[in-house]
Amino acid sequence: MITLTLKEQPTVPLEVECIAPDVVAPLAPNELSALPVFLGKRRHRLDDFFEVAGAGGDEIELRGDCTKVKWLGRGMTRGRLRIVGNAGMHLRAYMKGGVIEVTCNAADWLGCEMNGGSIHIRGHAGGQVGAAYRGSVSGMSGGTILIEGAAGIELGMRMRRGIIAVRGPVRDFAGLQMKGGTIVLMSGAELRTGAWMLRGTIISLVPVHLMSTFAASGAYNPTFLSLYAKHLATLGFSIPCRVPHGAYMRYAGDAAVPGKGEILVWRPPA
């Protein structure tokens, strides 16, 4: 395992696209220390900012407050990246495989346009989780993102596939322009949930304020939810899916697009 300990938090964002198992696995210690990182427009060595221990391997552990460290795990396809502390913007963007765990909080643009692998945030996350970058057609197209705390605006914007589950509250525009995939809101969301969504499913375990462009279309317990429930249970996230315990009220929309998405709101038995 490779251990990287941040010497001190940089005053401006530090870009470290090299910190990914795909890059560091085949390197010797001296090659690892010399990997390029960028502070603004200036190029530096990795060991100018991190204490490097260990060599080669598909497991990386970062220690320290990496709030201003950007692009960690960019495009990674395998291995494990564990961050003991906070993580900066664009964590695991364009990810194709592997596992990332953050013990504290993650900044904006977490898992943007990823298409595989899994991310587990033990604290809060910023805005645009699993979203599309400005000007891009699609957001995440596969993989799993789990957030134990709260999340910011535009969660899952333009996502096509995959699962995002959030235990805490989510801010405005969750599922904005959603094209597929599943979002699980265990503590609900603020305004404009599912705005302009075309397809996909948003599941809320508490009542949410819905726009008038979503029409109620009955209460039921979808069969596919039992599969999601089993999968999420193995990851520590539980959602109800059995008839005796209640039912989901289904709302179809967004009719303003028009879209064929759905928002399922859990209603326990009276």
Side-chain angles (χ1 to χ4, degrees):
M1 183 177 74
I2 300 167
T3 302
L4 303 174
T5 304
L6 187 66
K7 296 178 180 178
E8 61 179 322
Q9 188 173 138
T11 55
V12 297
L14 176 68
E15 298 185 10
V16 293
E17 298 179 30
C18 62
I19 300 182
D22 304 77
V23 177
V24 306
L27 300 181
N30 61 324
E31 296 174 312
L32 179 61
S33 298
L35 283 171
V37 298
F38 291 87
L39 187 68
K41 295 182 179 179
R42 295 187 177 183
R43 176 170 171 160
H44 296 265
R45 289 167 52 103
L46 182 65
D47 60 2
D48 289 339
F49 297 93
F50 292 90
E51 294 178 2
V52 182
D58 282 347
E59 291 194 26
I60 305 173
E61 182 172 282
L62 269 76
R63 298 174 181 172
D65 185 357
C66 296
T67 301
K68 291 188 176 180
V69 180
K70 300 167 60 176
W71 298 109
L72 287 165
R74 174 172 177 166
M76 64 183 285
T77 64
R78 68 178 195 269
R80 177 181 293 273
L81 174 58
R82 186 169 188 265
I83 302 168
V84 183
N86 297 320
M89 295 173 64
H90 309 291
L91 174 66
R92 210 165 184 176
Y94 307 114
M95 169 185 182
K96 297 179 176 66
V99 177
I100 284 185
E101 179 184 2
V102 180
T103 62
C104 294
N105 305 321
D108 298 345
W109 303 106
L110 166 69
C112 281
E113 300 188 22
M114 63 184 282
N115 61 19
S118 65
I119 302 174
H120 196 164
I121 307 299
R122 300 290 179 180
H124 306 302
Q128 295 86 27
V129 173
Y133 282 115
R134 302 308 186 199
S136 294
V137 175
S138 301
M140 69 181 290
S141 57
T144 302
I145 299 177
L146 305 173
I147 301 170
E148 298 284 353
I153 65 171
E154 297 179 359
L155 178 91
M157 177 183 66
R158 299 182 199 149
M159 69 181 290
R160 296 184 65 90
R161 297 182 187 86
I163 302 173
I164 302 176
V166 185
R167 199 181 299 279
V170 175
R171 295 195 61 196
D172 294 353
F173 287 109
L176 174 66
Q177 295 180 319
M178 193 172 174
K179 299 180 178 182
T182 303
I183 294 176
V184 180
L185 307 172
M186 301 186 74
S187 298
E190 293 183 359
L191 303 177
R192 304 173 188 88
T193 301
W196 303 315
M197 72 184 296
L198 296 170
R199 292 183 182 275
T201 302
I202 298 175
I203 302 166
S204 180
L205 302 189
V206 299
V208 291
H209 179 80
L210 296 177
M211 298 184 298
S212 60
T213 48
F214 282 85
S217 56
Y220 75 132
N221 286 80
T223 304
F224 75 88
L225 272 189
S226 62
L227 300 176
Y228 277 95
K230 289 179 181 179
H231 174 62
L232 289 171
T234 64
L235 303 173
F237 283 68
S238 299
I239 60 173
C241 63
R242 298 184 182 277
V243 175
H245 302 146
Y248 286 92
M249 188 68 192
R250 182 179 186 271
Y251 298 88
D254 182 354
V257 180
K260 299 180 180 179
E262 62 179 3
I263 298 178
L264 305 178
V265 181
W266 175 250
R267 289 190 176 179

